[in-house]
Each structure stands twice: as C-alpha cells, then as structure tokens.
Short mmCIF file of all heavy atoms in Angstrom, two decimals:
data_model
loop_
_atom_site.label_atom_id
_atom_site.label_comp_id
_atom_site.label_asym_id
_atom_site.label_seq_id
_atom_site.Cartn_x
_atom_site.Cartn_y
_atom_site.Cartn_z
N GLN A 7 -171.27 -73.28 -65.88
CA GLN A 7 -171.08 -74.73 -65.96
C GLN A 7 -171.85 -75.28 -67.15
O GLN A 7 -171.37 -76.14 -67.88
CB GLN A 7 -171.56 -75.38 -64.66
CG GLN A 7 -171.39 -76.88 -64.61
CD GLN A 7 -171.84 -77.42 -63.26
OE1 GLN A 7 -171.66 -76.78 -62.24
NE2 GLN A 7 -172.44 -78.60 -63.28
N ARG A 8 -173.10 -74.75 -67.33
CA ARG A 8 -173.95 -75.23 -68.42
C ARG A 8 -174.87 -74.09 -68.85
O ARG A 8 -175.33 -73.30 -68.04
CB ARG A 8 -174.76 -76.43 -67.94
CG ARG A 8 -175.55 -77.11 -69.06
CD ARG A 8 -176.27 -78.36 -68.58
NE ARG A 8 -177.41 -77.98 -67.74
CZ ARG A 8 -177.77 -78.62 -66.64
NH1 ARG A 8 -177.08 -79.65 -66.21
NH2 ARG A 8 -178.81 -78.22 -65.95
N GLU A 9 -175.14 -74.02 -70.14
CA GLU A 9 -176.05 -73.00 -70.67
C GLU A 9 -177.03 -73.68 -71.60
O GLU A 9 -176.64 -74.49 -72.45
CB GLU A 9 -175.27 -71.92 -71.42
CG GLU A 9 -176.15 -70.79 -71.90
CD GLU A 9 -175.36 -69.62 -72.47
OE1 GLU A 9 -174.30 -69.27 -71.91
OE2 GLU A 9 -175.81 -69.06 -73.48
N THR A 10 -178.34 -73.33 -71.42
CA THR A 10 -179.38 -73.92 -72.25
C THR A 10 -180.24 -72.81 -72.84
O THR A 10 -180.70 -71.93 -72.10
CB THR A 10 -180.28 -74.87 -71.42
OG1 THR A 10 -179.45 -75.79 -70.71
CG2 THR A 10 -181.25 -75.62 -72.31
N ALA A 11 -180.44 -72.85 -74.16
CA ALA A 11 -181.33 -71.90 -74.84
C ALA A 11 -182.61 -72.64 -75.20
O ALA A 11 -182.57 -73.73 -75.77
CB ALA A 11 -180.66 -71.34 -76.07
N TYR A 12 -183.75 -72.05 -74.84
CA TYR A 12 -185.05 -72.67 -75.09
C TYR A 12 -185.70 -72.04 -76.31
O TYR A 12 -185.41 -70.89 -76.67
CB TYR A 12 -185.94 -72.53 -73.86
CG TYR A 12 -185.41 -73.26 -72.65
CD1 TYR A 12 -184.60 -72.62 -71.72
CD2 TYR A 12 -185.70 -74.60 -72.45
CE1 TYR A 12 -184.10 -73.29 -70.61
CE2 TYR A 12 -185.20 -75.29 -71.35
CZ TYR A 12 -184.40 -74.63 -70.43
OH TYR A 12 -183.90 -75.31 -69.35
N PRO A 13 -186.64 -72.77 -76.95
CA PRO A 13 -187.30 -72.26 -78.16
C PRO A 13 -188.07 -70.95 -77.93
O PRO A 13 -188.21 -70.14 -78.85
CB PRO A 13 -188.26 -73.38 -78.56
CG PRO A 13 -187.80 -74.61 -77.85
CD PRO A 13 -187.05 -74.14 -76.64
N ASP A 14 -188.55 -70.73 -76.69
CA ASP A 14 -189.31 -69.50 -76.42
C ASP A 14 -188.41 -68.28 -76.22
O ASP A 14 -188.88 -67.20 -75.92
CB ASP A 14 -190.23 -69.69 -75.21
CG ASP A 14 -189.47 -69.97 -73.91
OD1 ASP A 14 -188.22 -69.99 -73.92
OD2 ASP A 14 -190.15 -70.17 -72.87
N GLY A 15 -187.09 -68.48 -76.36
CA GLY A 15 -186.16 -67.36 -76.24
C GLY A 15 -185.52 -67.25 -74.87
O GLY A 15 -184.62 -66.45 -74.65
N LYS A 16 -185.97 -68.06 -73.94
CA LYS A 16 -185.42 -68.06 -72.58
C LYS A 16 -184.05 -68.74 -72.61
O LYS A 16 -183.83 -69.72 -73.32
CB LYS A 16 -186.40 -68.80 -71.68
CG LYS A 16 -186.02 -68.87 -70.23
CD LYS A 16 -187.16 -69.43 -69.37
CE LYS A 16 -187.37 -70.90 -69.67
NZ LYS A 16 -188.40 -71.53 -68.84
N VAL A 17 -183.12 -68.20 -71.81
CA VAL A 17 -181.78 -68.78 -71.70
C VAL A 17 -181.51 -69.05 -70.22
O VAL A 17 -181.69 -68.19 -69.37
CB VAL A 17 -180.69 -67.83 -72.26
CG1 VAL A 17 -179.30 -68.40 -72.03
CG2 VAL A 17 -180.94 -67.53 -73.73
N GLU A 18 -181.07 -70.29 -69.92
CA GLU A 18 -180.76 -70.65 -68.54
C GLU A 18 -179.28 -70.96 -68.44
O GLU A 18 -178.72 -71.71 -69.24
CB GLU A 18 -181.57 -71.87 -68.11
CG GLU A 18 -181.33 -72.27 -66.67
CD GLU A 18 -182.21 -73.41 -66.20
OE1 GLU A 18 -182.98 -73.98 -67.00
OE2 GLU A 18 -182.14 -73.73 -65.00
N LYS A 19 -178.65 -70.36 -67.43
CA LYS A 19 -177.24 -70.63 -67.16
C LYS A 19 -177.12 -71.21 -65.77
O LYS A 19 -177.70 -70.68 -64.82
CB LYS A 19 -176.41 -69.35 -67.23
CG LYS A 19 -176.24 -68.76 -68.61
CD LYS A 19 -175.33 -67.53 -68.54
CE LYS A 19 -175.16 -66.94 -69.93
NZ LYS A 19 -174.22 -65.80 -69.90
N ILE A 20 -176.38 -72.27 -65.65
CA ILE A 20 -176.07 -72.83 -64.34
C ILE A 20 -174.60 -72.54 -64.11
O ILE A 20 -173.73 -72.94 -64.90
CB ILE A 20 -176.37 -74.33 -64.28
CG1 ILE A 20 -177.86 -74.56 -64.52
CG2 ILE A 20 -175.94 -74.91 -62.92
CD1 ILE A 20 -178.27 -76.00 -64.64
N LEU A 21 -174.33 -71.79 -63.04
CA LEU A 21 -172.96 -71.40 -62.74
C LEU A 21 -172.27 -72.47 -61.89
O LEU A 21 -172.93 -73.27 -61.23
CB LEU A 21 -172.96 -70.05 -62.02
CG LEU A 21 -173.69 -68.90 -62.72
CD1 LEU A 21 -173.59 -67.63 -61.90
CD2 LEU A 21 -173.15 -68.66 -64.12
N LYS A 22 -170.96 -72.43 -61.92
CA LYS A 22 -170.18 -73.43 -61.17
C LYS A 22 -170.42 -73.32 -59.67
O LYS A 22 -170.29 -74.31 -58.95
CB LYS A 22 -168.69 -73.29 -61.50
CG LYS A 22 -168.35 -73.85 -62.86
CD LYS A 22 -166.88 -73.95 -63.09
CE LYS A 22 -166.65 -74.64 -64.43
NZ LYS A 22 -165.24 -74.67 -64.79
N ASN A 23 -170.80 -72.13 -59.18
CA ASN A 23 -171.06 -71.98 -57.75
C ASN A 23 -172.45 -72.48 -57.35
O ASN A 23 -172.83 -72.41 -56.19
CB ASN A 23 -170.87 -70.52 -57.32
CG ASN A 23 -171.91 -69.59 -57.90
OD1 ASN A 23 -172.87 -70.00 -58.57
ND2 ASN A 23 -171.74 -68.30 -57.65
N GLY A 24 -173.23 -72.98 -58.32
CA GLY A 24 -174.54 -73.55 -58.03
C GLY A 24 -175.71 -72.63 -58.30
O GLY A 24 -176.86 -73.04 -58.21
N CYS A 25 -175.44 -71.37 -58.63
CA CYS A 25 -176.52 -70.43 -58.93
C CYS A 25 -177.12 -70.75 -60.30
O CYS A 25 -176.43 -71.20 -61.20
CB CYS A 25 -176.00 -69.00 -58.96
SG CYS A 25 -175.57 -68.35 -57.34
N HIS A 26 -178.42 -70.47 -60.42
CA HIS A 26 -179.11 -70.60 -61.70
C HIS A 26 -179.50 -69.20 -62.15
O HIS A 26 -180.06 -68.43 -61.37
CB HIS A 26 -180.40 -71.41 -61.55
CG HIS A 26 -180.19 -72.86 -61.34
ND1 HIS A 26 -180.69 -73.82 -62.18
CD2 HIS A 26 -179.52 -73.54 -60.38
CE1 HIS A 26 -180.35 -75.01 -61.74
NE2 HIS A 26 -179.64 -74.86 -60.63
N LEU A 27 -179.24 -68.87 -63.40
CA LEU A 27 -179.66 -67.60 -63.98
C LEU A 27 -180.59 -67.91 -65.14
O LEU A 27 -180.25 -68.73 -66.00
CB LEU A 27 -178.46 -66.79 -64.49
CG LEU A 27 -177.43 -66.36 -63.45
CD1 LEU A 27 -176.24 -65.69 -64.14
CD2 LEU A 27 -178.05 -65.41 -62.46
N ILE A 28 -181.75 -67.26 -65.16
CA ILE A 28 -182.68 -67.45 -66.26
C ILE A 28 -182.95 -66.07 -66.86
O ILE A 28 -183.40 -65.15 -66.16
CB ILE A 28 -184.00 -68.11 -65.80
CG1 ILE A 28 -183.68 -69.45 -65.11
CG2 ILE A 28 -184.94 -68.31 -66.98
CD1 ILE A 28 -184.83 -70.03 -64.33
N PHE A 29 -182.65 -65.94 -68.14
CA PHE A 29 -182.86 -64.68 -68.86
C PHE A 29 -184.07 -64.85 -69.77
O PHE A 29 -184.12 -65.77 -70.57
CB PHE A 29 -181.62 -64.31 -69.69
CG PHE A 29 -180.38 -64.13 -68.86
CD1 PHE A 29 -179.51 -65.20 -68.63
CD2 PHE A 29 -180.10 -62.91 -68.28
CE1 PHE A 29 -178.38 -65.05 -67.85
CE2 PHE A 29 -178.96 -62.75 -67.50
CZ PHE A 29 -178.09 -63.81 -67.29
N PHE A 30 -185.04 -63.95 -69.63
CA PHE A 30 -186.25 -64.01 -70.43
C PHE A 30 -186.14 -63.03 -71.59
O PHE A 30 -185.43 -62.01 -71.49
CB PHE A 30 -187.47 -63.68 -69.56
CG PHE A 30 -187.70 -64.69 -68.47
CD1 PHE A 30 -187.09 -64.56 -67.23
CD2 PHE A 30 -188.52 -65.79 -68.69
CE1 PHE A 30 -187.29 -65.49 -66.22
CE2 PHE A 30 -188.72 -66.73 -67.69
CZ PHE A 30 -188.10 -66.58 -66.45
N PRO A 31 -186.85 -63.29 -72.69
CA PRO A 31 -186.75 -62.42 -73.87
C PRO A 31 -187.14 -60.96 -73.61
O PRO A 31 -186.65 -60.06 -74.28
CB PRO A 31 -187.72 -63.06 -74.87
CG PRO A 31 -187.94 -64.45 -74.40
CD PRO A 31 -187.70 -64.44 -72.92
N ASN A 32 -188.01 -60.71 -72.62
CA ASN A 32 -188.45 -59.33 -72.36
C ASN A 32 -187.45 -58.54 -71.52
O ASN A 32 -187.69 -57.40 -71.18
CB ASN A 32 -189.83 -59.32 -71.68
CG ASN A 32 -189.80 -59.88 -70.26
OD1 ASN A 32 -188.76 -60.33 -69.76
ND2 ASN A 32 -190.95 -59.85 -69.61
N GLY A 33 -186.31 -59.17 -71.14
CA GLY A 33 -185.29 -58.47 -70.37
C GLY A 33 -185.30 -58.81 -68.88
O GLY A 33 -184.43 -58.36 -68.14
N THR A 34 -186.28 -59.57 -68.44
CA THR A 34 -186.34 -59.99 -67.04
C THR A 34 -185.30 -61.07 -66.79
O THR A 34 -185.06 -61.91 -67.65
CB THR A 34 -187.76 -60.52 -66.71
OG1 THR A 34 -188.68 -59.43 -66.84
CG2 THR A 34 -187.84 -61.07 -65.30
N CYS A 35 -184.68 -61.02 -65.60
CA CYS A 35 -183.67 -62.01 -65.23
C CYS A 35 -184.02 -62.57 -63.85
O CYS A 35 -184.33 -61.83 -62.92
CB CYS A 35 -182.29 -61.35 -65.18
SG CYS A 35 -181.00 -62.44 -64.54
N LYS A 36 -183.98 -63.89 -63.74
CA LYS A 36 -184.25 -64.56 -62.47
C LYS A 36 -182.98 -65.27 -62.03
O LYS A 36 -182.38 -66.03 -62.79
CB LYS A 36 -185.39 -65.57 -62.64
CG LYS A 36 -185.73 -66.34 -61.38
CD LYS A 36 -186.92 -67.29 -61.63
CE LYS A 36 -187.30 -68.05 -60.38
NZ LYS A 36 -188.47 -68.92 -60.63
N LYS A 37 -182.57 -65.01 -60.78
CA LYS A 37 -181.38 -65.65 -60.23
C LYS A 37 -181.80 -66.46 -59.01
O LYS A 37 -182.40 -65.92 -58.08
CB LYS A 37 -180.35 -64.60 -59.82
CG LYS A 37 -179.10 -65.20 -59.18
CD LYS A 37 -178.12 -64.11 -58.75
CE LYS A 37 -176.90 -64.73 -58.09
NZ LYS A 37 -175.96 -63.70 -57.63
N VAL A 38 -181.51 -67.76 -59.04
CA VAL A 38 -181.77 -68.62 -57.90
C VAL A 38 -180.42 -68.91 -57.27
O VAL A 38 -179.52 -69.43 -57.94
CB VAL A 38 -182.48 -69.93 -58.33
CG1 VAL A 38 -182.73 -70.83 -57.13
CG2 VAL A 38 -183.79 -69.62 -59.06
N GLY A 39 -180.30 -68.56 -55.99
CA GLY A 39 -179.03 -68.73 -55.29
C GLY A 39 -178.63 -70.19 -55.17
O GLY A 39 -179.47 -71.10 -55.35
N SER A 40 -177.39 -70.45 -54.85
CA SER A 40 -176.87 -71.82 -54.74
C SER A 40 -177.59 -72.59 -53.63
O SER A 40 -177.62 -73.82 -53.65
CB SER A 40 -175.36 -71.81 -54.50
OG SER A 40 -175.07 -71.05 -53.34
N ASP A 41 -178.21 -71.86 -52.67
CA ASP A 41 -178.97 -72.54 -51.61
C ASP A 41 -180.34 -73.01 -52.10
O ASP A 41 -181.04 -73.74 -51.41
CB ASP A 41 -179.12 -71.63 -50.39
CG ASP A 41 -179.90 -70.34 -50.70
OD1 ASP A 41 -180.39 -70.16 -51.84
OD2 ASP A 41 -180.01 -69.51 -49.78
N GLY A 42 -180.73 -72.56 -53.30
CA GLY A 42 -182.03 -72.93 -53.86
C GLY A 42 -183.20 -72.21 -53.22
O GLY A 42 -184.34 -72.38 -53.63
N LYS A 43 -182.93 -71.36 -52.23
CA LYS A 43 -184.00 -70.68 -51.49
C LYS A 43 -184.01 -69.17 -51.72
O LYS A 43 -185.03 -68.53 -51.53
CB LYS A 43 -183.85 -70.95 -49.99
CG LYS A 43 -184.02 -72.40 -49.62
CD LYS A 43 -183.81 -72.60 -48.13
CE LYS A 43 -183.96 -74.07 -47.75
NZ LYS A 43 -183.71 -74.29 -46.34
N THR A 44 -182.87 -68.61 -52.09
CA THR A 44 -182.79 -67.17 -52.31
C THR A 44 -183.02 -66.91 -53.80
O THR A 44 -182.29 -67.43 -54.63
CB THR A 44 -181.41 -66.63 -51.89
OG1 THR A 44 -181.16 -67.01 -50.53
CG2 THR A 44 -181.35 -65.12 -52.02
N VAL A 45 -184.06 -66.13 -54.09
CA VAL A 45 -184.41 -65.85 -55.48
C VAL A 45 -184.45 -64.34 -55.68
O VAL A 45 -185.05 -63.61 -54.89
CB VAL A 45 -185.79 -66.46 -55.83
CG1 VAL A 45 -186.18 -66.14 -57.27
CG2 VAL A 45 -185.80 -67.97 -55.60
N THR A 46 -183.80 -63.88 -56.74
CA THR A 46 -183.86 -62.47 -57.10
C THR A 46 -184.33 -62.37 -58.54
O THR A 46 -183.74 -62.98 -59.44
CB THR A 46 -182.47 -61.80 -56.96
OG1 THR A 46 -182.01 -61.98 -55.62
CG2 THR A 46 -182.53 -60.32 -57.28
N ILE A 47 -185.40 -61.61 -58.74
CA ILE A 47 -185.93 -61.39 -60.08
C ILE A 47 -185.78 -59.91 -60.39
O ILE A 47 -186.29 -59.06 -59.66
CB ILE A 47 -187.41 -61.81 -60.19
CG1 ILE A 47 -187.57 -63.27 -59.78
CG2 ILE A 47 -187.93 -61.57 -61.61
CD1 ILE A 47 -189.01 -63.70 -59.56
N THR A 48 -185.04 -59.61 -61.45
CA THR A 48 -184.88 -58.24 -61.90
C THR A 48 -185.74 -58.09 -63.16
O THR A 48 -185.47 -58.74 -64.17
CB THR A 48 -183.41 -57.92 -62.20
OG1 THR A 48 -182.63 -58.23 -61.03
CG2 THR A 48 -183.22 -56.45 -62.56
N PHE A 49 -186.78 -57.26 -63.05
CA PHE A 49 -187.72 -57.11 -64.16
C PHE A 49 -187.21 -56.10 -65.18
O PHE A 49 -186.37 -55.25 -64.87
CB PHE A 49 -189.10 -56.68 -63.62
CG PHE A 49 -189.73 -57.74 -62.75
CD1 PHE A 49 -189.59 -57.69 -61.37
CD2 PHE A 49 -190.45 -58.77 -63.30
CE1 PHE A 49 -190.16 -58.65 -60.56
CE2 PHE A 49 -191.03 -59.75 -62.50
CZ PHE A 49 -190.89 -59.68 -61.12
#
C-alpha cells in the first residue's frame, strides 16, 4: 500500500492487508501482523 525509505537505510512497507514490514540494512526483517500484536523478526 505504501513504501518508505529512511536515510539510515531502513525500508518500511505497509501492505494492503495491514501488515507492516521493516527491512534493516544489516538484513534483519521485522514483520508486524495486521493485528498489531503478532511480531516476527528474522535476523
């Protein structure tokens, strides 16, 4: 739905289903579920 790139290299994507994905420059990815309570971080 929306994608934002930050100066520190982090990229945030908001999906149409309500999930948030945050990609960090070191390869870590954080996914916040559409419920806002389920979080998965893949290092």
